[in-house]
PDB file of all heavy atoms in Angstrom:
ATOM      1  N   PHE A  30      72.333  80.220  94.976  1.00 70.00           N
ATOM      2  CA  PHE A  30      73.404  79.660  95.783  1.00 70.00           C
ATOM      3  C   PHE A  30      73.444  79.978  97.229  1.00 70.00           C
ATOM      4  O   PHE A  30      74.210  79.458  97.867  1.00 70.00           O
ATOM      5  CB  PHE A  30      74.712  80.151  95.074  1.00 70.00           C
ATOM      6  CG  PHE A  30      75.067  79.597  93.698  1.00 70.00           C
ATOM      7  CD1 PHE A  30      75.469  80.336  92.779  1.00 70.00           C
ATOM      8  CD2 PHE A  30      74.679  78.272  93.515  1.00 70.00           C
ATOM      9  CE1 PHE A  30      75.678  79.853  91.448  1.00 70.00           C
ATOM     10  CE2 PHE A  30      75.009  77.678  92.158  1.00 70.00           C
ATOM     11  CZ  PHE A  30      75.422  78.589  91.232  1.00 70.00           C
ATOM     12  N   ARG A  32      72.855  80.049 101.047  1.00 82.00           N
ATOM     13  CA  ARG A  32      72.501  78.980 101.927  1.00 82.00           C
ATOM     14  C   ARG A  32      72.218  79.454 103.337  1.00 82.00           C
ATOM     15  O   ARG A  32      71.797  78.762 104.148  1.00 82.00           O
ATOM     16  CB  ARG A  32      73.559  77.917 101.991  1.00 82.00           C
ATOM     17  CG  ARG A  32      73.796  77.091 100.724  1.00 82.00           C
ATOM     18  CD  ARG A  32      72.536  76.243 100.691  1.00 82.00           C
ATOM     19  NE  ARG A  32      72.650  75.238  99.513  1.00 82.00           N
ATOM     20  CZ  ARG A  32      72.316  75.527  98.324  1.00 82.00           C
ATOM     21  NH1 ARG A  32      71.786  76.722  98.054  1.00 82.00           N
ATOM     22  NH2 ARG A  32      72.438  74.647  97.311  1.00 82.00           N
ATOM     23  N   LEU A  61      82.862  57.151 113.891  1.00 89.00           N
ATOM     24  CA  LEU A  61      83.431  56.283 114.865  1.00 89.00           C
ATOM     25  C   LEU A  61      82.468  55.379 115.406  1.00 89.00           C
ATOM     26  O   LEU A  61      82.974  54.260 115.894  1.00 89.00           O
ATOM     27  CB  LEU A  61      83.834  57.191 116.038  1.00 89.00           C
ATOM     28  CG  LEU A  61      85.227  57.883 115.889  1.00 89.00           C
ATOM     29  CD1 LEU A  61      85.408  58.916 117.086  1.00 89.00           C
ATOM     30  CD2 LEU A  61      86.311  56.832 115.958  1.00 89.00           C
ATOM     31  N   ALA A 104      75.368  53.563  95.305  1.00 77.00           N
ATOM     32  CA  ALA A 104      76.779  52.967  95.360  1.00 77.00           C
ATOM     33  C   ALA A 104      76.874  51.977  96.568  1.00 77.00           C
ATOM     34  O   ALA A 104      77.626  51.190  96.533  1.00 77.00           O
ATOM     35  CB  ALA A 104      77.741  54.077  95.514  1.00 77.00           C
ATOM     36  N   SER A 107      75.017  47.747  96.902  1.00 81.00           N
ATOM     37  CA  SER A 107      75.617  46.390  96.746  1.00 81.00           C
ATOM     38  C   SER A 107      76.237  45.849  98.007  1.00 81.00           C
ATOM     39  O   SER A 107      76.532  44.659  98.103  1.00 81.00           O
ATOM     40  CB  SER A 107      76.712  46.473  95.648  1.00 81.00           C
ATOM     41  OG  SER A 107      77.740  47.388  96.012  1.00 81.00           O
ATOM     42  N   ALA A 108      76.244  46.742  99.038  1.00 83.00           N
ATOM     43  CA  ALA A 108      76.762  46.251 100.323  1.00 83.00           C
ATOM     44  C   ALA A 108      75.828  45.187 100.948  1.00 83.00           C
ATOM     45  O   ALA A 108      76.267  44.366 101.684  1.00 83.00           O
ATOM     46  CB  ALA A 108      76.857  47.397 101.360  1.00 83.00           C
ATOM     47  N   PRO A 112      79.448  39.017 101.587  1.00 77.00           N
ATOM     48  CA  PRO A 112      79.508  37.562 101.996  1.00 77.00           C
ATOM     49  C   PRO A 112      79.691  37.306 103.442  1.00 77.00           C
ATOM     50  O   PRO A 112      79.448  36.161 103.876  1.00 77.00           O
ATOM     51  CB  PRO A 112      80.703  37.148 101.258  1.00 77.00           C
ATOM     52  CG  PRO A 112      81.508  38.394 101.069  1.00 77.00           C
ATOM     53  CD  PRO A 112      80.498  39.485 100.856  1.00 77.00           C
ATOM     54  N   ARG A 136      75.017  46.798 107.372  1.00 87.00           N
ATOM     55  CA  ARG A 136      76.109  47.727 106.960  1.00 87.00           C
ATOM     56  C   ARG A 136      75.381  48.809 106.025  1.00 87.00           C
ATOM     57  O   ARG A 136      75.703  49.996 106.173  1.00 87.00           O
ATOM     58  CB  ARG A 136      77.025  46.924 106.175  1.00 87.00           C
ATOM     59  CG  ARG A 136      78.269  47.644 105.447  1.00 87.00           C
ATOM     60  CD  ARG A 136      79.540  47.357 106.121  1.00 87.00           C
ATOM     61  NE  ARG A 136      80.535  48.336 105.683  1.00 87.00           N
ATOM     62  CZ  ARG A 136      80.740  49.557 106.280  1.00 87.00           C
ATOM     63  NH1 ARG A 136      80.171  49.815 107.387  1.00 87.00           N
ATOM     64  NH2 ARG A 136      81.636  50.248 105.744  1.00 87.00           N
ATOM     65  N   ALA A 144      75.361  58.829 106.661  1.00 92.00           N
ATOM     66  CA  ALA A 144      75.476  59.862 105.549  1.00 92.00           C
ATOM     67  C   ALA A 144      74.416  60.905 105.832  1.00 92.00           C
ATOM     68  O   ALA A 144      74.610  62.097 105.682  1.00 92.00           O
ATOM     69  CB  ALA A 144      75.392  59.159 104.202  1.00 92.00           C
ATOM     70  N   VAL A 155      75.908  75.841 107.507  1.00 94.00           N
ATOM     71  CA  VAL A 155      75.851  76.800 106.564  1.00 94.00           C
ATOM     72  C   VAL A 155      74.491  77.664 106.598  1.00 94.00           C
ATOM     73  O   VAL A 155      74.414  78.688 106.206  1.00 94.00           O
ATOM     74  CB  VAL A 155      76.042  76.437 105.153  1.00 94.00           C
ATOM     75  CG1 VAL A 155      77.470  76.014 104.836  1.00 94.00           C
ATOM     76  CG2 VAL A 155      75.110  75.396 104.658  1.00 94.00           C
ATOM     77  N   ARG A 174      96.224  79.935 105.256  1.00 87.00           N
ATOM     78  CA  ARG A 174      95.693  81.265 104.892  1.00 87.00           C
ATOM     79  C   ARG A 174      95.520  81.447 103.459  1.00 87.00           C
ATOM     80  O   ARG A 174      94.581  81.929 102.879  1.00 87.00           O
ATOM     81  CB  ARG A 174      96.687  82.386 105.314  1.00 87.00           C
ATOM     82  CG  ARG A 174      96.515  83.740 104.867  1.00 87.00           C
ATOM     83  CD  ARG A 174      95.376  84.480 105.609  1.00 87.00           C
ATOM     84  NE  ARG A 174      95.705  84.874 106.863  1.00 87.00           N
ATOM     85  CZ  ARG A 174      96.623  85.812 107.183  1.00 87.00           C
ATOM     86  NH1 ARG A 174      97.099  86.572 106.180  1.00 87.00           N
ATOM     87  NH2 ARG A 174      96.865  86.025 108.406  1.00 87.00           N
ATOM     88  N   LEU A 175      96.534  80.910 102.655  1.00 89.00           N
ATOM     89  CA  LEU A 175      96.442  80.991 101.200  1.00 89.00           C
ATOM     90  C   LEU A 175      95.162  80.409 100.657  1.00 89.00           C
ATOM     91  O   LEU A 175      94.452  80.850  99.806  1.00 89.00           O
ATOM     92  CB  LEU A 175      97.724  80.348 100.517  1.00 89.00           C
ATOM     93  CG  LEU A 175      97.806  80.363  99.006  1.00 89.00           C
ATOM     94  CD1 LEU A 175      97.829  81.788  98.613  1.00 89.00           C
ATOM     95  CD2 LEU A 175      98.906  79.517  98.476  1.00 89.00           C
ATOM     96  N   LEU A 187      82.156  83.454  92.326  1.00 89.00           N
ATOM     97  CA  LEU A 187      81.189  82.413  91.980  1.00 89.00           C
ATOM     98  C   LEU A 187      79.945  83.018  91.279  1.00 89.00           C
ATOM     99  O   LEU A 187      79.394  82.634  90.299  1.00 89.00           O
ATOM    100  CB  LEU A 187      80.779  81.788  93.315  1.00 89.00           C
ATOM    101  CG  LEU A 187      79.955  80.595  93.447  1.00 89.00           C
ATOM    102  CD1 LEU A 187      80.956  79.498  93.091  1.00 89.00           C
ATOM    103  CD2 LEU A 187      79.498  80.416  94.811  1.00 89.00           C
ATOM    104  N   ARG A 220      78.069  69.728  69.852  1.00 73.00           N
ATOM    105  CA  ARG A 220      77.489  70.294  71.015  1.00 73.00           C
ATOM    106  C   ARG A 220      78.505  70.380  72.042  1.00 73.00           C
ATOM    107  O   ARG A 220      78.692  71.449  72.805  1.00 73.00           O
ATOM    108  CB  ARG A 220      76.352  69.460  71.560  1.00 73.00           C
ATOM    109  CG  ARG A 220      74.965  69.804  71.029  1.00 73.00           C
ATOM    110  CD  ARG A 220      73.897  68.890  71.566  1.00 73.00           C
ATOM    111  NE  ARG A 220      73.637  67.749  70.519  1.00 73.00           N
ATOM    112  CZ  ARG A 220      73.104  66.594  70.932  1.00 73.00           C
ATOM    113  NH1 ARG A 220      72.976  66.306  72.118  1.00 73.00           N
ATOM    114  NH2 ARG A 220      72.973  65.773  69.933  1.00 73.00           N
ATOM    115  N   PHE A 232      87.154  81.343  80.224  1.00 91.00           N
ATOM    116  CA  PHE A 232      88.609  81.255  80.810  1.00 91.00           C
ATOM    117  C   PHE A 232      89.149  82.552  80.563  1.00 91.00           C
ATOM    118  O   PHE A 232      89.794  83.161  81.505  1.00 91.00           O
ATOM    119  CB  PHE A 232      89.275  80.043  80.227  1.00 91.00           C
ATOM    120  CG  PHE A 232      90.733  80.028  80.872  1.00 91.00           C
ATOM    121  CD1 PHE A 232      90.866  79.273  81.962  1.00 91.00           C
ATOM    122  CD2 PHE A 232      91.740  80.769  80.227  1.00 91.00           C
ATOM    123  CE1 PHE A 232      92.252  79.237  82.455  1.00 91.00           C
ATOM    124  CE2 PHE A 232      92.990  80.611  80.756  1.00 91.00           C
ATOM    125  CZ  PHE A 232      93.289  79.917  81.838  1.00 91.00           C
ATOM    126  N   ASP A 240      93.409  89.897  86.405  1.00 90.00           N
ATOM    127  CA  ASP A 240      94.381  91.053  86.312  1.00 90.00           C
ATOM    128  C   ASP A 240      93.901  92.454  86.898  1.00 90.00           C
ATOM    129  O   ASP A 240      94.577  93.122  87.536  1.00 90.00           O
ATOM    130  CB  ASP A 240      94.686  91.361  84.849  1.00 90.00           C
ATOM    131  CG  ASP A 240      95.846  90.544  84.303  1.00 90.00           C
ATOM    132  OD1 ASP A 240      96.554  89.941  85.212  1.00 90.00           O
ATOM    133  OD2 ASP A 240      96.158  90.443  83.137  1.00 90.00           O
ATOM    134  N   TRP A 286      79.040  52.334 122.344  1.00 82.00           N
ATOM    135  CA  TRP A 286      80.166  51.383 122.508  1.00 82.00           C
ATOM    136  C   TRP A 286      79.806  50.431 123.678  1.00 82.00           C
ATOM    137  O   TRP A 286      80.255  49.261 123.751  1.00 82.00           O
ATOM    138  CB  TRP A 286      81.436  52.106 122.896  1.00 82.00           C
ATOM    139  CG  TRP A 286      82.073  52.539 121.623  1.00 82.00           C
ATOM    140  CD1 TRP A 286      82.044  53.810 121.053  1.00 82.00           C
ATOM    141  CD2 TRP A 286      82.707  51.793 120.646  1.00 82.00           C
ATOM    142  NE1 TRP A 286      82.622  53.867 119.898  1.00 82.00           N
ATOM    143  CE2 TRP A 286      83.026  52.593 119.534  1.00 82.00           C
ATOM    144  CE3 TRP A 286      83.078  50.388 120.490  1.00 82.00           C
ATOM    145  CZ2 TRP A 286      83.757  52.071 118.429  1.00 82.00           C
ATOM    146  CZ3 TRP A 286      83.758  49.993 119.371  1.00 82.00           C
ATOM    147  CH2 TRP A 286      84.036  50.862 118.405  1.00 82.00           C
TER     148      TRP A 286
ATOM    149  N   PHE B  23      74.936  70.435  91.867  1.00 39.00           N
ATOM    150  CA  PHE B  23      75.952  71.041  90.941  1.00 39.00           C
ATOM    151  C   PHE B  23      77.045  70.125  90.571  1.00 39.00           C
ATOM    152  O   PHE B  23      77.816  70.590  89.689  1.00 39.00           O
ATOM    153  CB  PHE B  23      76.519  72.300  91.801  1.00 39.00           C
ATOM    154  CG  PHE B  23      75.453  73.281  92.162  1.00 39.00           C
ATOM    155  CD1 PHE B  23      75.116  73.433  93.400  1.00 39.00           C
ATOM    156  CD2 PHE B  23      74.866  74.089  91.216  1.00 39.00           C
ATOM    157  CE1 PHE B  23      74.105  74.220  93.855  1.00 39.00           C
ATOM    158  CE2 PHE B  23      73.908  74.924  91.582  1.00 39.00           C
ATOM    159  CZ  PHE B  23      73.492  75.040  92.835  1.00 39.00           C
ATOM    160  N   ASP B  32      79.728  62.115 103.273  1.00 91.00           N
ATOM    161  CA  ASP B  32      80.222  61.451 104.502  1.00 91.00           C
ATOM    162  C   ASP B  32      79.469  60.170 104.744  1.00 91.00           C
ATOM    163  O   ASP B  32      78.243  60.103 104.379  1.00 91.00           O
ATOM    164  CB  ASP B  32      79.917  62.496 105.665  1.00 91.00           C
ATOM    165  CG  ASP B  32      81.118  63.481 105.797  1.00 91.00           C
ATOM    166  OD1 ASP B  32      82.245  63.091 105.599  1.00 91.00           O
ATOM    167  OD2 ASP B  32      80.779  64.667 106.052  1.00 91.00           O
ATOM    168  N   LYS B  65     100.639  88.020  92.415  1.00 79.00           N
ATOM    169  CA  LYS B  65      99.547  88.131  91.395  1.00 79.00           C
ATOM    170  C   LYS B  65      98.775  86.943  91.351  1.00 79.00           C
ATOM    171  O   LYS B  65      97.621  86.848  90.948  1.00 79.00           O
ATOM    172  CB  LYS B  65     100.208  88.420  90.066  1.00 79.00           C
ATOM    173  CG  LYS B  65      99.236  88.982  89.022  1.00 79.00           C
ATOM    174  CD  LYS B  65     100.053  89.487  87.858  1.00 79.00           C
ATOM    175  CE  LYS B  65      99.179  90.047  86.796  1.00 79.00           C
ATOM    176  NZ  LYS B  65      99.824  90.721  85.748  1.00 79.00           N
ATOM    177  N   PHE B  76      86.024  80.118  88.005  1.00 92.00           N
ATOM    178  CA  PHE B  76      85.853  79.636  86.635  1.00 92.00           C
ATOM    179  C   PHE B  76      85.569  78.204  86.585  1.00 92.00           C
ATOM    180  O   PHE B  76      84.586  77.763  85.827  1.00 92.00           O
ATOM    181  CB  PHE B  76      87.077  80.017  85.770  1.00 92.00           C
ATOM    182  CG  PHE B  76      87.298  79.197  84.522  1.00 92.00           C
ATOM    183  CD1 PHE B  76      86.426  79.420  83.473  1.00 92.00           C
ATOM    184  CD2 PHE B  76      88.151  78.070  84.544  1.00 92.00           C
ATOM    185  CE1 PHE B  76      86.570  78.665  82.274  1.00 92.00           C
ATOM    186  CE2 PHE B  76      88.160  77.288  83.426  1.00 92.00           C
ATOM    187  CZ  PHE B  76      87.435  77.510  82.259  1.00 92.00           C
ATOM    188  N   PHE B  78      84.398  76.272  88.797  1.00 90.00           N
ATOM    189  CA  PHE B  78      82.991  76.028  89.444  1.00 90.00           C
ATOM    190  C   PHE B  78      81.831  76.395  88.415  1.00 90.00           C
ATOM    191  O   PHE B  78      81.002  75.632  88.220  1.00 90.00           O
ATOM    192  CB  PHE B  78      82.872  76.941  90.658  1.00 90.00           C
ATOM    193  CG  PHE B  78      81.578  76.650  91.431  1.00 90.00           C
ATOM    194  CD1 PHE B  78      81.470  75.883  92.444  1.00 90.00           C
ATOM    195  CD2 PHE B  78      80.387  77.393  90.974  1.00 90.00           C
ATOM    196  CE1 PHE B  78      80.276  75.541  93.158  1.00 90.00           C
ATOM    197  CE2 PHE B  78      79.176  77.051  91.575  1.00 90.00           C
ATOM    198  CZ  PHE B  78      79.194  76.312  92.704  1.00 90.00           C
ATOM    199  N   PRO B  86      73.603  68.173  76.181  1.00 62.00           N
ATOM    200  CA  PRO B  86      72.762  66.899  76.159  1.00 62.00           C
ATOM    201  C   PRO B  86      73.532  65.707  75.441  1.00 62.00           C
ATOM    202  O   PRO B  86      74.275  65.954  74.443  1.00 62.00           O
ATOM    203  CB  PRO B  86      71.557  67.319  75.382  1.00 62.00           C
ATOM    204  CG  PRO B  86      71.787  68.712  74.858  1.00 62.00           C
ATOM    205  CD  PRO B  86      73.008  69.250  75.604  1.00 62.00           C
ATOM    206  N   VAL B 104      96.781  74.551  82.246  1.00 92.00           N
ATOM    207  CA  VAL B 104      96.905  75.946  81.950  1.00 92.00           C
ATOM    208  C   VAL B 104      97.529  76.651  83.154  1.00 92.00           C
ATOM    209  O   VAL B 104      98.286  77.612  82.808  1.00 92.00           O
ATOM    210  CB  VAL B 104      95.410  76.654  81.692  1.00 92.00           C
ATOM    211  CG1 VAL B 104      95.668  78.092  81.159  1.00 92.00           C
ATOM    212  CG2 VAL B 104      94.574  75.859  80.647  1.00 92.00           C
ATOM    213  N   LEU B 123      81.471  72.396 101.551  1.00 91.00           N
ATOM    214  CA  LEU B 123      81.100  73.320 102.764  1.00 91.00           C
ATOM    215  C   LEU B 123      79.812  74.032 102.466  1.00 91.00           C
ATOM    216  O   LEU B 123      78.901  74.126 103.357  1.00 91.00           O
ATOM    217  CB  LEU B 123      82.153  74.525 103.011  1.00 91.00           C
ATOM    218  CG  LEU B 123      83.334  73.961 103.683  1.00 91.00           C
ATOM    219  CD1 LEU B 123      84.480  75.050 103.632  1.00 91.00           C
ATOM    220  CD2 LEU B 123      83.107  73.847 105.105  1.00 91.00           C
ATOM    221  N   LEU B 124      79.669  74.624 101.376  1.00 89.00           N
ATOM    222  CA  LEU B 124      78.462  75.432 101.078  1.00 89.00           C
ATOM    223  C   LEU B 124      77.329  74.671 100.501  1.00 89.00           C
ATOM    224  O   LEU B 124      76.122  74.949 100.814  1.00 89.00           O
ATOM    225  CB  LEU B 124      78.888  76.580 100.094  1.00 89.00           C
ATOM    226  CG  LEU B 124      77.886  77.804  99.935  1.00 89.00           C
ATOM    227  CD1 LEU B 124      77.661  78.364 101.269  1.00 89.00           C
ATOM    228  CD2 LEU B 124      78.518  78.723  99.047  1.00 89.00           C
ATOM    229  N   SER B 189      86.210  50.301 101.616  1.00 88.00           N
ATOM    230  CA  SER B 189      85.528  50.750 102.830  1.00 88.00           C
ATOM    231  C   SER B 189      84.333  49.754 103.210  1.00 88.00           C
ATOM    232  O   SER B 189      83.605  49.911 104.150  1.00 88.00           O
ATOM    233  CB  SER B 189      84.865  52.070 102.659  1.00 88.00           C
ATOM    234  OG  SER B 189      85.798  53.055 102.509  1.00 88.00           O
ATOM    235  N   GLY B 190      84.188  48.708 102.337  1.00 85.00           N
ATOM    236  CA  GLY B 190      83.169  47.870 102.472  1.00 85.00           C
ATOM    237  C   GLY B 190      81.654  48.382 102.164  1.00 85.00           C
ATOM    238  O   GLY B 190      80.736  47.904 102.586  1.00 85.00           O
ATOM    239  N   THR B 191      81.733  49.545 101.432  1.00 87.00           N
ATOM    240  CA  THR B 191      80.455  50.077 101.016  1.00 87.00           C
ATOM    241  C   THR B 191      79.841  49.474  99.821  1.00 87.00           C
ATOM    242  O   THR B 191      78.662  49.454  99.687  1.00 87.00           O
ATOM    243  CB  THR B 191      80.695  51.623 100.785  1.00 87.00           C
ATOM    244  OG1 THR B 191      81.225  52.176 102.009  1.00 87.00           O
ATOM    245  CG2 THR B 191      79.380  52.316 100.430  1.00 87.00           C
ATOM    246  N   SER B 192      80.740  49.096  98.831  1.00 85.00           N
ATOM    247  CA  SER B 192      80.305  48.511  97.653  1.00 85.00           C
ATOM    248  C   SER B 192      80.933  47.177  97.325  1.00 85.00           C
ATOM    249  O   SER B 192      82.103  46.976  97.762  1.00 85.00           O
ATOM    250  CB  SER B 192      80.449  49.460  96.386  1.00 85.00           C
ATOM    251  OG  SER B 192      80.059  50.723  96.784  1.00 85.00           O
ATOM    252  N   ARG B 193      80.324  46.374  96.535  1.00 83.00           N
ATOM    253  CA  ARG B 193      80.917  45.182  96.181  1.00 83.00           C
ATOM    254  C   ARG B 193      81.823  45.480  94.857  1.00 83.00           C
ATOM    255  O   ARG B 193      81.310  46.126  93.951  1.00 83.00           O
ATOM    256  CB  ARG B 193      79.793  44.154  95.755  1.00 83.00           C
ATOM    257  CG  ARG B 193      78.841  43.862  96.849  1.00 83.00           C
ATOM    258  CD  ARG B 193      79.398  42.787  97.819  1.00 83.00           C
ATOM    259  NE  ARG B 193      79.585  41.619  97.082  1.00 83.00           N
ATOM    260  CZ  ARG B 193      80.581  40.733  97.461  1.00 83.00           C
ATOM    261  NH1 ARG B 193      81.437  41.055  98.403  1.00 83.00           N
ATOM    262  NH2 ARG B 193      80.693  39.592  96.865  1.00 83.00           N
ATOM    263  N   LEU B 230      99.691  82.243  77.122  1.00 84.00           N
ATOM    264  CA  LEU B 230      99.481  81.411  78.388  1.00 84.00           C
ATOM    265  C   LEU B 230      99.818  79.999  78.189  1.00 84.00           C
ATOM    266  O   LEU B 230      99.804  79.176  79.200  1.00 84.00           O
ATOM    267  CB  LEU B 230      97.879  81.499  78.665  1.00 84.00           C
ATOM    268  CG  LEU B 230      97.419  82.791  79.020  1.00 84.00           C
ATOM    269  CD1 LEU B 230      96.032  82.817  79.337  1.00 84.00           C
ATOM    270  CD2 LEU B 230      98.171  83.435  80.273  1.00 84.00           C
ATOM    271  N   TYR B 287      90.804  52.329 115.666  1.00 42.00           N
ATOM    272  CA  TYR B 287      91.448  51.895 116.946  1.00 42.00           C
ATOM    273  C   TYR B 287      91.685  50.408 116.837  1.00 42.00           C
ATOM    274  O   TYR B 287      92.386  49.786 117.651  1.00 42.00           O
ATOM    275  CB  TYR B 287      90.586  52.218 118.157  1.00 42.00           C
ATOM    276  CG  TYR B 287      89.135  52.344 117.792  1.00 42.00           C
ATOM    277  CD1 TYR B 287      88.363  51.199 117.663  1.00 42.00           C
ATOM    278  CD2 TYR B 287      88.654  53.611 117.432  1.00 42.00           C
ATOM    279  CE1 TYR B 287      87.126  51.347 117.155  1.00 42.00           C
ATOM    280  CE2 TYR B 287      87.285  53.694 117.122  1.00 42.00           C
ATOM    281  CZ  TYR B 287      86.616  52.548 116.852  1.00 42.00           C
ATOM    282  OH  TYR B 287      85.275  52.674 116.493  1.00 42.00           O
ATOM    283  N   GLN B 331     103.651  77.440 105.019  1.00 50.00           N
ATOM    284  CA  GLN B 331     103.153  78.678 104.524  1.00 50.00           C
ATOM    285  C   GLN B 331     103.837  79.856 104.905  1.00 50.00           C
ATOM    286  O   GLN B 331     104.079  80.838 104.064  1.00 50.00           O
ATOM    287  CB  GLN B 331     101.688  78.739 104.857  1.00 50.00           C
ATOM    288  CG  GLN B 331     100.968  79.743 104.138  1.00 50.00           C
ATOM    289  CD  GLN B 331      99.624  80.120 104.827  1.00 50.00           C
ATOM    290  OE1 GLN B 331      99.045  81.121 104.605  1.00 50.00           O
ATOM    291  NE2 GLN B 331      99.290  79.243 105.987  1.00 50.00           N
TER     292      GLN B 331
END
Side-chain angles (χ1 to χ4, degrees):
Chain A
F30 291 136
R32 286 295 184 272
L61 276 169
S107 58
R136 179 108 191 93
V155 288
R174 168 81 70 76
L175 181 67
L187 191 79
R220 272 175 263 155
F232 178 89
D240 267 351
W286 283 99
Chain B
F23 301 105
D32 277 321
K65 198 171 179 169
F76 157 76
F78 185 96
V104 192
L123 279 169
L124 194 55
S189 295
T191 301
S192 307
R193 306 276 297 143
L230 296 182
Y287 29 79
Q331 195 197 165

